[in-house]
Each structure stands twice: as structure tokens, then as C-alpha cells.
């Protein structure tokens, strides 16, 4: 079973990615989340502030947007459709449309409601110093797989330091897999496969957490594992996994990284190229009993941080993106 977790990064991000005077100010709601930011077009502003709120005051634009939903026929927009919407309207319009589509998905809505209840409880419990795990938590272990350059460039959060600190704080069993931070996806998948095999027979069900580049590494590992092993895997939390690669790996990623941190092993970058990643994606077969939670950020141009600014600008020609290359 697969759920898509949605977080529109607006208020929570630093508004340093673009000057405050750029874009149109707007406030609206998508999937129960209030968004106050700036967007890159009048179409995006109207869509968020009016159309999604049921306020139809621009007949021509309303008709164009209605046709998008009608032609979709209940199907999630793919990258080509999002690129088309970006060209026809704007990047932010396409991003908001994707966010609304996800928010309308029953599985996502049900999961989000449950998640927000748990989040509210946890926030209060931590504040009052009374965090208590349910009794069945002892039956689980969280296996964390770091992302690209997690040692050399931990600023991205690829080292998963924050989740690890939280797990330690509440006393939930966890294991960190020290992968090759610059290695190819296929090589790291083998290491992950071996680790899951070893952890699977320790009488705990596994919750695997990946981030960005380690997403395809975990997906490949779960595909390669025997059913007798994967039955011990309860869930996979895929945080912004680059399952189909990144165009930056095809274009300028190596040069950007060299300017930022020095030379890196080209093996990791080559394994992130879109052609190779899409071929690999077609081979993936995640067992149906594993709960898969895909957690993604869908930022708007008014909420791009300084960390993501360069990547966002480079990737704009491909459609909506989070600005992070790996």
C-alpha cells in the first residue's frame, strides 16, 4: 500500500530564495494547509486564492482550469503533464495543481489526518515531558539509510541526524546503515540488502527510512530481497527519493559539487542520471505488504531557501521541483 505525504513548504521555509518583492502575494489553502507566500503568475495566484476556495470570478480562467481536471480523468499528473502546465500557466501553478491532486487522494487524506493527530499528541507530550511509546513499539526497529554526501555535506540533512536524535529521545530501537556517500546506487543497494537480511532475523519488524539518493538504493534492495526476508519489513518511508534520477546529474551536478566541496566520485552522479535511473525504476518491484510512505516537499517560488535556490533555477525548465539536486 502506498501513501503520498504532502507538505507545502511555505511558511516553514526561510524566504531567502527570492527577493521579497518578486512575485504576487497570496494566501490560500491546499489539503487543509494554509499557505501565505508569493507566486510567479496571476494564474497561480487566482488558482490558490480563488479557484481552490470555490470562488469563481474569472470565467475564462475557470474554464481553462476545469478542462485540466476533466482531461486528467482522475490520473496523477506525470512529469510531462506538469511541464506542459508550467509552460501554459507557470511553475507555481503546476506545483499547486500537483499538491491539490495529492491532497484529494483518499489514501493520502486518511493518512494525513492520522499523522496530524499523532503529531499534535507528540508535540504536547514532548513539551510536557511525558513521551510514552505504545507497548508494541518494542516489536519494531527503524533502519535509517543516509543520502548523498551525508558526511561531506550534512547541511542538507542527508545524515538523518535529526530523526536519529528524535528516536534516541523516545527510546525507539534504530540502526544506521553507513553507506558509501559517493558510491553508485547499485553498490549501496547491495550493502542495504545485506544489512536488512541480517536485521530481519532479530525478532523485530523493520521500518526503513531513506532520503533522496538512498530512496532508489532502498527500492532496489527491497526488490532484490527474498520474500522470506521482506516479510520482516513493515514499512518504507521514502523522503524525497530520487527514484527516477535528476536532470542535474545529466547536466551540471559534477561541476556544481566540485565548486562547492571539491572532487567527488563520478560513480554516484552517473547512477543518478535520468536515463539510467528510469531504466532501473522499471525493474523495481516493492512487495505489496510493505507500507510505503512517500514524503515530498512542493515549494513555491516565494518559499525557496538559499540552499535550494541554484538547483531550483537550473531545474525550472523541467517543471516544478524542490531545488535539491540529490
Amino acid at each position: 500500500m502506498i501513501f503520498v505525504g504532502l507538505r507545502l513548504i511555505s511558511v516553514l521555509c526561510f524566504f531567502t530564495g527570492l527577493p521579497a518583492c518578486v512575485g504576487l502575494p497570496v494566501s490560500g489553502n491546499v489539503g487543509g494547509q494554509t499557505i501565505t507566500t508569493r507566486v510567479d503568475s496571476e494564474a497561480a495566484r487566482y488558482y490558490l486564492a480563488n479557484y481552490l476556495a470555490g470562488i469563481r470570478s474569472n470565467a475564462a480562467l475557470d474554464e481553462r482550469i476545469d478542462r485540466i481536471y476533466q482531461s486528467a480523468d482522475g490520473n496523477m499528473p506525470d512529469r510531462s503533464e506538469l511541464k506542459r502546465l508550467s509552460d501554459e500557466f507557470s511553475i507555481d501553478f503546476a506545483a499547486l495543481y500537483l499538491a491539490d491532486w495529492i491532497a484529494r487522494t483518499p489514501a493520502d487524506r486518511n493518512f494525513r489526518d492520522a499523522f496530524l493527530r499523532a503529531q499534535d499528541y507528540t508535540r504536547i507530550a514532548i513539551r510536557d515531558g511525558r513521551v510514552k511509546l505504545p507497548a508494541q513499539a518494542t516489536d519494531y526497529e527503524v533502519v535509517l539509510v543516509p543520502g548523498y554526501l551525508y558526511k561531506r555535506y550534512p547541511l542538507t540533512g542527508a545524515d538523518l541526524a535529526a530523526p536519529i536524535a528524535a528516536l534516541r529521545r523516545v527510546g525507539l530501537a534504530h540502526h544506521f546503515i553507513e553507506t558509501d556517500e559517493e558510491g553508485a546506487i547499485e553498490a549501496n543497494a547491495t550493502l542495504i540488502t545485506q544489512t536488512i537480511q541480517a536485521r530481519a532475523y532479530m525478532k523485530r519488524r523493520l521500518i526503513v527510512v531513506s532520503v533522496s539518493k538512498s530512496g532508489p538504493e532502498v527500492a532496489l534492495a527491497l526488490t532484490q530481497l527474498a520474500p522470506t526476508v521482506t516479510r520482516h519489513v513493515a514499512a518504507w518511508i521514502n523522503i524525497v527519493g530520487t527514484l527516477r534520477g535528476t536532470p542535474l546529474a545529466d547536466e551540471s551536478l559534477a561541476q556544481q559539487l566540485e565548486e562547492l566541496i571539491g572532487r567527488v566520485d563520478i560513480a554516484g552522479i552517473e547512477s543518478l542520471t535520468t536515463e539510467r535511473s528510469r531504466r532501473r525504476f522499471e525493474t523495481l518491484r516493492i512487495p505489496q505488504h510493505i507500507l510505503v510512505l512517500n514524503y515530498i516537499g512542493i515549494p513555491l517560488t516565494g518559499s525557496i531557501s538559499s540552499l535550494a535556490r541554484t538547483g531550483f533555477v537550473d531545474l525550472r525548465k523541467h517543471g516544478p521541483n524542490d531545488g535539491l539536486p540529490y
Side-chain angles (χ1 to χ4, degrees):
M1 185 177 294
I2 299 177
F3 294 99
V4 180
L6 168 65
R7 174 71 66 184
L8 277 173
I9 306 175
S10 52
V11 179
L12 297 182
C13 284
F14 293 106
F15 293 158
T16 56
L18 296 172
C21 60
V22 173
L24 302 172
V26 65
S27 182
N29 187 286
V30 179
Q33 297 182 49
T34 299
I35 303 165
T36 301
T37 185
R38 289 177 178 268
V39 291
D40 62 356
S41 70
E42 172 57 25
R45 189 209 64 77
Y46 177 83
Y47 179 60
L48 176 58
N50 293 64
Y51 188 91
L52 292 179
I55 304 171
R56 308 299 169 85
S57 57
N58 185 327
L61 193 50
D62 290 336
E63 183 180 356
R64 292 173 66 192
I65 298 173
D66 286 341
R67 285 201 299 266
I68 296 171
Y69 282 94
Q70 291 164 4
S71 62
D73 195 26
N75 296 313
M76 182 176 183
D78 59 16
R79 59 180 178 273
S80 62
E81 174 65 4
L82 292 173
K83 175 65 166 65
R84 186 188 70 78
L85 293 176
S86 298
D87 294 340
E88 181 179 349
F89 295 94
S90 73
I91 295 286
D92 284 346
F93 180 94
L96 287 165
Y97 175 71
L98 173 62
D100 182 59
W101 190 96
I102 294 172
R104 290 170 181 259
T105 305
D108 175 77
R109 186 165 55 248
N110 294 337
F111 181 87
R112 186 172 64 249
D113 290 344
F115 173 82
L116 290 176
R117 289 195 299 271
Q119 185 182 53
D120 289 342
Y121 163 80
T122 303
R123 184 183 294 113
I124 295 171
I126 290 177
R127 182 196 66 193
D128 297 343
R130 55 179 180 83
V131 177
K132 184 177 181 181
L133 292 174
Q136 60 267 35
T138 57
D139 298 331
Y140 292 85
E141 178 180 74
V142 180
V143 177
L144 301 110
V145 189
Y148 189 50
L149 299 175
Y150 67 95
K151 294 179 180 178
R152 295 179 64 183
Y153 198 58
L155 182 63
T156 62
D159 60 355
L160 295 172
I164 290 171
L167 291 170
R168 286 174 177 163
R169 184 171 184 175
V170 300
L172 187 59
H174 58 279
H175 177 79
F176 182 83
I177 301 180
E178 192 164 333
T179 57
D180 181 351
E181 65 170 342
E182 300 179 36
I185 287 170
E186 293 79 6
N188 278 336
T190 299
L191 176 61
I192 296 165
T193 297
Q194 294 169 347
T195 303
I196 291 178
Q197 286 175 330
R199 310 299 299 181
Y201 295 102
M202 299 183 71
K203 298 184 179 179
R204 286 197 183 106
R205 302 202 70 200
L206 305 179
I207 299 172
V208 184
V209 178
S210 64
V211 56
S212 197
K213 176 176 173 284
S214 64
E217 294 171 354
V218 168
L220 188 56
L222 294 176
T223 298
Q224 296 172 343
L225 284 165
T228 53
V229 177
T230 57
R231 66 184 178 86
H232 295 275
V233 180
W236 169 34
I237 302 175
N238 176 36
I239 304 172
V240 294
T242 47
L243 299 183
R244 302 194 192 201
T246 170
L248 284 184
D250 305 332
E251 301 164 2
S252 59
L253 182 55
Q255 179 181 347
Q256 290 180 13
L257 289 174
E258 185 171 345
E259 294 173 354
L260 183 66
I261 62 172
R263 295 185 67 84
V264 296
D265 188 343
I266 197 66
I269 296 176
E270 289 179 343
S271 70
L272 279 168
T273 56
T274 54
E275 181 180 355
R276 179 165 161 181
S277 296
R278 290 168 188 172
R279 287 201 309 267
R280 182 175 56 241
F281 182 83
E282 294 303 317
T283 70
L284 301 180
R285 299 291 183 271
I286 310 302
Q288 291 189 352
H289 74 271
I290 297 177
L291 171 67
V292 181
L293 171 62
N294 295 299
Y295 187 89
I296 62 174
I298 308 178
L300 303 173
T301 54
S303 57
I304 295 295
S305 70
S306 57
L307 176 65
R309 183 191 309 169
T310 299
F312 181 81
V313 171
D314 288 345
L315 289 169
R316 279 180 65 93
K317 61 180 178 290
H318 301 287
N321 69 89
D322 63 5
L324 297 179
Y326 44 78

